Amino acid sequence: MALRMNLYGCQISAIHEAVGSKSDTLLEAASAQVADTLNEESARAKAIAWLETLIQTGHPLNSARPQPSVPEDGSLLVSHVETEIHVCALHCLIQGIQRDDWLDLSGQSSHWHHSAISALYNDLAACGFTKSTECPMELFRCLESLNHGTPLFGDDFRTDWSYYSLLPTNEVVGFIQALKVAVEFKRSIPDFIPEHLRETMVISLTDEAREFVTELSGWLRQIADSGQDAYILWW
């Protein structure tokens, strides 16, 4: 199954505030979303149980826990992972707290498959941008967030068909700036390179990568201009 990008604007702080809020109204709204999203009864029950934990009891964010490490006795590393059920539950929680002004760009963005991220990275490497002094580290960080996700509660994802990425506004702005530099980049080829080799060298992004970057930057700009954070659901 090809993962598709579903891009939204949100407030990450509102998600944090919902955790441990003990809001019966939110739990009811989010649970109703689960019922509409998951077909399998056991999966629905687990997702709703996780929502009850998040909303009624609360759960520490992964940023509040020590990073997983090998114990002193050398035994196996213990890691918390989020599955499709946890991804679905968080999405339903976000839908439950969604505000009228939060942007929904999923209909526009979902025609892009996950492969566009890896294709973009390959293009950036092929034209020499990733090794140039013009390439900002922010680009690597944001592409990594899109490529592998940013779990809120687990240390990682273990899913076959869904995960999510959250980018705060400042990272969205940095990402936009980095993408602008990338799309304008044109590699300079030394004069000593023979003409027959110069003609085969890739010096800038492909047309498809440019199209993806242009559309992604436009959506991210809408989110940044609205003072919102970016939420990307891949499924």
Side-chain angles (χ1 to χ4, degrees):
M1 182 182 297
L3 294 176
R4 292 179 178 271
M5 180 171 65
N6 296 269
L7 181 59
Y8 304 88
C10 74
Q11 297 290 345
I12 296 176
S13 59
I15 303 173
H16 292 176
E17 290 167 3
V19 177
S21 64
K22 301 185 186 301
S23 171
D24 292 332
T25 302
L26 173 57
L27 178 58
E28 181 179 355
S31 298
Q33 294 291 337
V34 170
D36 291 338
T37 305
L38 295 176
N39 296 322
E40 185 182 352
E41 184 176 349
S42 63
R44 288 200 303 268
K46 291 175 183 177
I48 291 173
W50 178 238
L51 281 171
E52 290 176 347
T53 297
L54 291 180
I55 296 170
Q56 302 291 23
T57 306
H59 193 281
L61 301 176
N62 60 8
S63 58
R65 292 196 316 270
Q67 289 296 308
S69 61
V70 177
E72 292 299 324
D73 62 3
S75 57
L76 296 177
L77 180 148
V78 176
S79 178
H80 299 266
V81 296
E82 294 188 33
T83 69
E84 286 92 350
I85 287 173
H86 303 98
V87 172
C88 176
L90 180 73
H91 182 61
C92 292
L93 185 149
I94 292 175
Q95 288 181 304
I97 62 174
Q98 185 174 5
R99 299 169 183 170
D100 292 340
D101 63 331
W102 287 6
L103 296 174
D104 182 350
L105 303 169
S106 58
Q108 304 168 47
S109 59
S110 61
H111 72 274
W112 285 108
H113 293 175
H114 181 267
S115 58
I117 301 297
S118 54
L120 173 59
Y121 188 86
N122 290 339
D123 267 23
L124 292 169
C127 71
F129 181 69
T130 55
K131 293 184 179 180
S132 73
T133 56
E134 299 175 48
C135 183
M137 287 302 299
E138 188 68 23
L139 184 68
F140 292 108
R141 286 193 292 268
C142 291
L143 285 178
E144 178 71 11
S145 295
L146 265 62
N147 200 32
H148 297 291
T150 57
L152 272 180
F153 307 102
D155 302 308
D156 203 349
F157 292 103
R158 180 170 295 176
T159 68
D160 294 325
W161 53 267
S162 63
Y163 68 91
Y164 60 85
S165 306
L166 287 162
L167 298 177
T169 307
N170 65 308
E171 291 187 17
V172 172
V173 172
F175 195 17
I176 294 169
Q177 295 170 345
L179 290 173
K180 182 177 185 296
V181 175
V183 81
E184 293 175 350
F185 176 78
K186 188 174 183 179
R187 176 164 55 180
S188 177
I189 303 177
D191 294 337
F192 63 80
I193 300 295
E195 187 63 31
H196 70 283
L197 293 179
R198 296 167 68 90
E199 294 176 354
T200 64
M201 294 179 68
V202 179
I203 62 173
S204 61
L205 295 181
T206 62
D207 290 342
E208 184 175 9
R210 287 176 179 275
E211 180 184 0
F212 176 59
V213 168
T214 299
E215 292 198 350
L216 178 60
S217 297
W219 297 323
L220 292 175
R221 173 56 63 190
Q222 292 182 55
I223 291 173
D225 288 348
S226 299
Q228 298 174 22
D229 307 310
Y231 164 52
I232 305 100
L233 176 66
W234 295 94
W235 67 358

